[in-house]
């Protein structure tokens, strides 16, 4: 089983809920919350309740109207770059249908990547995390303003934070390319 730093855990949540690199301010805030003893489950539920998560997954706004299957399929695409398998779909659908929060389920999907050492899913997510953290570091040290007064990313920064992860695969060379583009 892989062990992750707090920064990597938070970056996974940004990928799982927003499909983007973490912004520097938010990354530091959530790392601080983890270090203060807030559980990853509680942080995941906070991410799921955010307007940005609803923008990424309309299911959060309209759970009785939109397909749970489509939501879970989109999570798998964002987190692992692949379609969800039938067993995973049945398992995670049943958990949500039994009353578990969608935030908790997304956190569980992210956590399960840690149990599959050497798997393509683990490599894909790890590569997205590496490129995302590199982007966040670059953004934090840049002279370019990346945040609005309300703490959201500016339009250009938001486009960049999403775009930097677009070419990532399980191949480590895609991280090198993304990091060079970020620099």
């Amino acid at each position: 089983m892989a062990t992750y730093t707090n920064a990597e855990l938070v970056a996974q949540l940004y990928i799982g809920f927003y499909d983007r690199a973490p912004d520097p301010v938010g990354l530091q805030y959530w790392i601080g919350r983890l270090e203060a003893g807030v559980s990853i489950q509680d942080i995941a539920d906070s991410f799921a309740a955010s307007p940005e998560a609803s923008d990424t997954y309309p299911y959060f706004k309209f759970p009785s109207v939109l397909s749970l299957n489509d939501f879970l399929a989109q999570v798998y695409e964002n987190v692992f770059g692949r379609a969800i398998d039938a067993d995973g779909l049945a398992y995670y659908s049943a958990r949500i249908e039994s009353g578990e929060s969608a935030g908790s389920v997304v956190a569980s999907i992210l956590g399960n990547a840690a149990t599959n050492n050497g798997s393509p899913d683990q490599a894909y997510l790890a590569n997205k995390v590496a490129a995302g953290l590199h982007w966040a570091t670059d953004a934090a040290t840049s002279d370019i303003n990346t945040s609005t007064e309300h703490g959201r990313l500016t339009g250009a920064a938001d486009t960049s934070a999403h775009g930097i992860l677009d070419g990532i695969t399980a191949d480590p060379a895609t991280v090198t390319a993304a990091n060079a583009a970020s620099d």
Side-chain angles (χ1 to χ4, degrees), residues 56-168:
T56 304
Y57 302 113
Y59 174 81
F60 286 138
K61 286 183 198 170
F62 309 107
S64 61
V65 176
L66 297 174
S67 164
L68 176 58
N69 291 355
D70 289 343
F71 163 67
L72 291 169
Q74 188 180 4
V75 170
Y76 261 63
E77 280 296 329
N78 292 346
V79 172
F80 302 130
R82 67 172 177 86
I84 190 169
D85 55 281
D87 289 341
L89 181 60
Y91 175 70
Y92 291 116
S93 293
R95 286 176 59 178
I96 291 174
E97 288 168 350
S98 72
E100 186 173 348
S101 72
S104 175
V105 168
V106 173
S108 180
I109 290 168
L110 291 164
N112 284 340
T115 64
N116 296 312
N117 284 336
S119 73
D121 287 347
Q122 186 182 53
Y124 183 86
L125 182 57
N127 286 349
K128 276 190 138 179
V129 166
L133 289 174
H134 185 89
W135 184 92
T137 299
D138 283 354
T141 58
S142 170
D143 291 337
I144 299 170
N145 183 21
T146 59
S147 297
T148 68
E149 64 188 54
H150 303 294
R152 300 261 329 234
L153 290 172
T154 64
D158 186 64
T159 298
S160 179
H162 281 89
I164 204 68
L165 301 181
D166 285 347
I168 299 296

